[in-house]
Amino acid sequence: MSLTAWLLEEAPRSRLQARLGQGYAGWRLFSRNPLAMAGLAIVAGLVLVAAAAPLLATHSPVAQDLAARLTPPGAAGHWLGTDDLGRDIWSRLVHGARITLAVVALTMVLVAPVGLAVGCVAGYRGGWVDAVLMRVTDVFLAFPRLILALAFVAALGPGIENAVIAIAVTSWPPYARIARAETMTIRNSDFIAAARLQGASAARILWGHVVPLTLSSVIVRVTLDMAGIILIAAGLGFLGLGAQPPSPEWGAMIAGGRKYILDQWWVAAMPGVAICVVSLGFNLLGDGLRDVLDPKQR
Amino acid sequence: MSSPEFLHPIGRLLLRVTATLAGVGVTLFGLLLVTFVIARVVPVDPVLAVVGDNAGPDLYDRTRVELGLDRPLYVQFGLYVSQVARGDFGMSVLTSRPVTEDIARYFPATLELATAATLIGVLLGVPMGVLAAVRQGHWIDHLVRVIGLAGYSIPVFWLGLMGLLLFYAELGWVAGPGRLSIGYEDIVEPVTGLLLLDAALAREWEVFGNAVSHLVLPAGVLGVFSLAYIGRMTRSFMLDQLRQEYIITARVKGVSEARIVWRHALGNIMVPLVTVIALSYAHLLEGSVLTETVFAWPGLGSYITSSLLNVDMNAVLGGTLVVGVVFVGVNLLSDLLYRLFDPRAR
């Protein structure tokens, strides 16, 4: 029997086969969408560039060369030119990819579990627990995210770690809402009632049955949110409240190039292009994942 | 949750409105709590900020008591709420004026910018979204999708910088940063604070023209993001409507295609569209923080950021609170409009 036939068997004989078969079917659907594949390629590219940054960089990201300051792109071995301190912009972008990836990954790790936990508990327990948790969620949703993140950074002090914390604090409410809505549709299903009758504890039902079923919606939303998180982190960097110099964070690099925008446009333009490409990648990937993972859209 | 059936529809509406208002009250209380907590975790000593580093221990202790910082936290929170309720956000360290006065001075500039941007978004976004839905696969359809994607992918401050580079520096079509050029300032007496309105009222058309030339670019940059959202939503709402059976009925009856699209279908999406427009308006407040910084636009956003960089916490929290309240207010308004105009939502 060929591998494809095994994967697509109508009646899978083990849990593993069923899971792999489902994954394969999803992948076939996903890979037929060229935009989603482009998004995947961009995100994979970001990971590769971040991993191989020292190999790809032609110069040190922080080494200054005042003799070669504000070199235009292509000249003297600087593919994308140099900034006001003579630092190679390509090398800084490549190293900045690590910061972008770290911000995205850290926020995801901090935010998704909190949103899932709050949403699933609120949706499963209902009653006053639900009312209280959803009120708290509403309060956080009532602020525009960037403004709330700004206020938190003001309190914690500028810096990339605090920026991540501020973004995380302002990012969890939408996940809680989604997880809650999903949980409420699952809560009254027969299989949950069956599990409860067999004596399963609330924790076991939540962890074993509810969370896995809400996970795909949350994953889709997280992927779509990544672009927004990158933009907010870059915005904080641009305002001087995120990553601090000489860190090659893309938003901070744009802020550094702002003074020279009229004559040496490339200093501010290049990091902006990098931000656009990466956020576009996450958006396309998220759209593609939604088509595959969200059965309601099909 | 169903309302009691015996109530008159208007009575039911009032009941819902009361419930919504109570929810808003809780949210506002939460906003205050959040800003209060932020103010407490700041590593800056609020007493030192008032008395300065060289004050003796006597003065320090007296100021501490005056500021109420020796009381329990819940009493402090009560004091804070009553202050805010009276419109007192304290003094700004940076401008040495009351924060309330500062906000009143800077807010109209943000209002003007956000309104202009929303107008651009609505006037372009709605027709484009409609056309995209009617002619799927047409270039307008692709344009709406590309702008929709761009609106979620491009950093607003970067687009602003690129706009300055192209339209101000290279082409010279628009004026540069700021609200007015030097030489046009202080001609018009501020009445509403909305420069365009003030200039028009005073019949200072040269000032008006200059203000428009300054406004076009930042409003256009923000407008792209408003356009992205409104266009995308209009398209999807219209697609939904055009699939409905009443459209087929209208076609069978021989109603003209233009009337079907612009009267029947568009008329039916007006209510959700108003909600989308209100939401995008509220989100422009967020975009305005970065846009105002790029364009040196003297609005609330640049006020908050410049206060932030100078650790002027009264100003930061006052500004944050005002933005939060406006945000809640706009959402509430759109919610009420929705209930009022859509009988199904009552």
Side-chain angles (χ1 to χ4, degrees), chain A residues 135 138-148 150-155 227 231 234-235 238-241 251 254 258 261-262 265 268-273 275-276 279-280 283-284 287 290, chain B residues 23 26-27 30-31 34-35 38 41-43 149 152-155 157-158 161-162 164-165 168-170 232 282 285-286 289-290 293-294 304-305 308-309 313 316-317 320-321 323-324 327-328:
Chain A
R135 269 294 139 214
D138 280 349
V139 168
F140 279 88
L141 283 174
F143 279 112
R145 268 169 78 188
L146 179 65
I147 307 243
L148 188 57
L150 280 178
F152 271 104
V153 172
L231 293 185
F238 177 73
L239 293 173
L241 296 163
I254 296 180
R258 200 178 147 194
I261 183 76
L262 298 185
W265 53 269
M270 297 305 181
V273 173
I275 298 175
C276 290
S279 344
L280 187 69
N283 273 327
L284 294 175
D287 278 340
R290 183 179 52 199
Chain B
V26 176
T27 309
L31 288 183
V34 170
T35 47
I38 292 176
V41 287
V42 180
L149 216 46
Y152 289 93
S153 306
I154 299 179
F157 53 95
W158 184 75
L161 284 174
M162 295 300 118
L164 273 178
L165 176 64
Y168 167 62
E170 293 292 323
R232 195 178 183 162
L285 286 174
E286 189 169 66
V289 171
L290 292 161
T293 310
V294 171
I304 293 178
T305 46
L308 250 171
L309 293 170
M313 281 317 278
V316 173
L317 294 178
T320 308
L321 206 54
V323 171
F327 203 71
V328 172

Side-chain angles (χ1 to χ4, degrees), chain B residues 86-120:
Chain B
R86 276 181 275 123
D88 176 10
F89 295 119
M91 298 291 285
S92 158
V93 182
L94 194 62
T95 62
S96 3
R97 280 190 302 256
V99 170
T100 319
E101 206 177 285
D102 277 344
I103 290 175
R105 180 189 299 237
Y106 289 113
F107 194 66
T110 300
L111 195 65
E112 193 170 60
L113 183 59
T115 307
T118 303
L119 278 179
I120 293 175

Side-chain angles (χ1 to χ4, degrees), chain A residues 116-138 172 176-177 180 183-184 187 202 206:
Chain A
L116 258 179
V118 170
C120 289
V121 169
Y124 186 72
R125 291 296 296 270
W128 66 269
V129 177
D130 182 33
V132 169
L133 286 177
M134 282 305 110
R135 269 294 139 214
V136 174
T137 313
D138 280 349
W172 63 271
R177 282 229 159 255
R180 172 176 176 268
T183 306
M184 287 177 56
R187 184 176 62 179
L206 271 176

Side-chain angles (χ1 to χ4, degrees), chain B residues 47-305:
Chain B
V47 182
L48 280 186
V50 174
V51 297
D53 287 338
N54 300 323
D58 277 359
L59 180 61
Y60 182 93
D61 287 338
R62 209 168 54 228
T63 316
R64 192 174 136 82
V65 173
E66 268 172 28
L67 291 173
L69 292 171
D70 55 332
R71 316 256 203 106
L73 270 181
Y74 63 89
V75 176
Q76 289 188 32
F77 181 63
L79 283 174
Y80 174 68
V81 172
S82 75
Q83 268 184 358
V84 169
R86 276 181 275 123
D88 176 10
F89 295 119
M91 298 291 285
S92 158
V93 182
L94 194 62
T95 62
S96 3
R97 280 190 302 256
V99 170
T100 319
E101 206 177 285
D102 277 344
I103 290 175
R105 180 189 299 237
Y106 289 113
F107 194 66
T110 300
L111 195 65
E112 193 170 60
L113 183 59
T115 307
T118 303
L119 278 179
I120 293 175
V122 172
L123 294 180
L124 290 176
V126 173
M128 280 170 67
V130 171
L131 287 177
V134 174
R135 305 214 182 147
Q136 278 190 280
H138 190 252
W139 64 266
I140 283 240
D141 188 21
H142 293 301
L143 187 66
V144 167
R145 286 182 194 208
V146 169
I147 294 179
L149 216 46
Y152 289 93
S153 306
I154 299 179
V156 57
F157 53 95
W158 184 75
L159 193 64
L161 284 174
M162 295 300 118
L164 273 178
L165 176 64
L166 183 62
F167 295 110
Y168 167 62
E170 293 292 323
L171 298 170
W173 289 356
V174 298
R179 274 179 104 185
L180 283 174
S181 304
I182 300 166
Y184 289 97
E185 288 161 338
D186 301 321
I187 294 178
V188 176
E189 193 70 26
V191 183
T192 58
L194 303 171
L195 206 49
L196 292 184
L197 208 60
D198 285 346
L201 285 175
R203 302 188 184 285
E204 291 282 358
W205 298 114
E206 265 184 57
V207 178
F208 185 84
N210 187 259
V212 168
S213 162
H214 277 274
L215 180 64
V216 165
L217 191 56
V221 166
L222 269 180
V224 169
F225 295 88
S226 178
L227 169 66
Y229 182 51
I230 293 175
R232 195 178 183 162
M233 294 313 280
T234 307
R235 175 176 176 276
S236 93
F237 288 155
M238 282 298 281
L239 281 177
D240 216 38
Q241 287 297 322
L242 292 175
R243 272 198 292 267
Q244 304 288 325
E245 286 177 352
Y246 75 88
I247 297 286
I248 301 173
T249 313
R251 284 212 181 104
V252 171
K253 276 167 59 183
V255 180
S256 75
E257 199 61 22
R259 201 177 156 81
I260 288 175
V261 170
W262 296 100
R263 279 296 286 261
H264 292 229
L266 188 62
N268 270 337
I269 67 164
M270 270 311 176
V271 176
L273 207 53
V274 166
T275 319
V276 163
I277 292 168
L279 263 181
S280 89
Y281 194 83
H283 277 287
L284 285 184
L285 286 174
E286 189 169 66
S288 71
V289 171
L290 292 161
T291 314
E292 286 176 6
T293 310
V294 171
F295 289 95
W297 192 262
L300 197 55
S302 55
Y303 178 66
I304 293 178
T305 46

Side-chain angles (χ1 to χ4, degrees), chain A residues 178-243:
Chain A
I178 291 171
R180 172 176 176 268
E182 291 276 317
T183 306
M184 287 177 56
T185 61
I186 300 166
R187 184 176 62 179
N188 296 325
S189 323
D190 289 341
F191 77 95
I192 296 286
R196 205 179 293 144
L197 283 175
Q198 286 175 335
S201 67
R204 190 187 165 91
I205 291 176
L206 271 176
W207 184 246
H209 299 286
V210 176
V211 168
L213 285 172
T214 56
L215 207 56
S216 62
S217 318
V218 171
I219 288 175
V220 168
R221 179 65 201 236
V222 165
T223 318
L224 283 170
D225 257 13
M226 285 303 134
I229 285 165
I230 291 172
L231 293 185
I232 290 192
L236 289 175
F238 177 73
L239 293 173
L241 296 163

Side-chain angles (χ1 to χ4, degrees), chain A:
Chain A
M1 193 193 304
S2 75
L3 181 66
T4 324
W6 182 77
L7 283 168
L8 294 178
E9 206 167 354
E10 280 293 325
R13 267 159 296 180
S14 69
R15 190 178 276 198
L16 179 74
Q17 189 184 0
R19 291 252 164 90
L20 287 177
Q22 208 182 11
Y24 179 69
W27 166 252
R28 285 224 302 196
L29 201 64
F30 183 85
S31 59
R32 242 180 286 155
N33 180 348
L35 285 178
M37 288 304 281
L40 183 66
I42 291 173
V43 173
L46 174 74
V47 174
L48 282 181
V49 166
L55 300 175
L56 292 169
T58 51
H59 296 70
S60 154
V62 287
Q64 302 182 5
D65 178 7
L66 292 177
R69 66 193 293 266
L70 299 170
T71 311
H78 297 291
W79 298 343
L80 301 179
T82 63
D83 66 6
D84 53 323
L85 295 172
R87 295 173 296 196
D88 182 59
I89 292 180
W90 162 253
S91 306
R92 285 176 70 71
L93 282 185
V94 165
H95 280 272
R98 293 186 156 187
I99 302 176
T100 301
L101 196 65
V103 166
V104 164
L106 272 177
T107 317
M108 189 159 63
V109 168
L110 288 173
V111 163
V114 174
L116 258 179
V118 170
C120 289
V121 169
Y124 186 72
R125 291 296 296 270
W128 66 269
V129 177
D130 182 33
V132 169
L133 286 177
M134 282 305 110
R135 269 294 139 214
V136 174
T137 313
D138 280 349
V139 168
F140 279 88
L141 283 174
F143 279 112
R145 268 169 78 188
L146 179 65
I147 307 243
L148 188 57
L150 280 178
F152 271 104
V153 172
L156 301 168
I160 188 79
E161 298 88 356
N162 290 341
V164 170
I165 295 173
I167 293 172
V169 168
T170 57
S171 300
W172 63 271
Y175 308 121
R177 282 229 159 255
I178 291 171
R180 172 176 176 268
E182 291 276 317
T183 306
M184 287 177 56
T185 61
I186 300 166
R187 184 176 62 179
N188 296 325
S189 323
D190 289 341
F191 77 95
I192 296 286
R196 205 179 293 144
L197 283 175
Q198 286 175 335
S201 67
R204 190 187 165 91
I205 291 176
L206 271 176
W207 184 246
H209 299 286
V210 176
V211 168
L213 285 172
T214 56
L215 207 56
S216 62
S217 318
V218 171
I219 288 175
V220 168
R221 179 65 201 236
V222 165
T223 318
L224 283 170
D225 257 13
M226 285 303 134
I229 285 165
I230 291 172
L231 293 185
I232 290 192
L236 289 175
F238 177 73
L239 293 173
L241 296 163
Q244 297 296 304
S247 160
E249 196 271 326
W250 295 344
M253 285 173 72
I254 296 180
R258 200 178 147 194
K259 285 189 288 259
Y260 310 98
I261 183 76
L262 298 185
D263 297 312
Q264 286 89 19
W265 53 269
W266 57 89
V267 186
M270 297 305 181
V273 173
I275 298 175
C276 290
V277 170
V278 170
S279 344
L280 187 69
F282 276 107
N283 273 327
L284 294 175
L285 179 66
D287 278 340
L289 279 181
R290 183 179 52 199
D291 293 343
V292 174
L293 291 178
D294 191 351
K296 274 163 278 175
Q297 296 277 329
R298 267 185 230 160

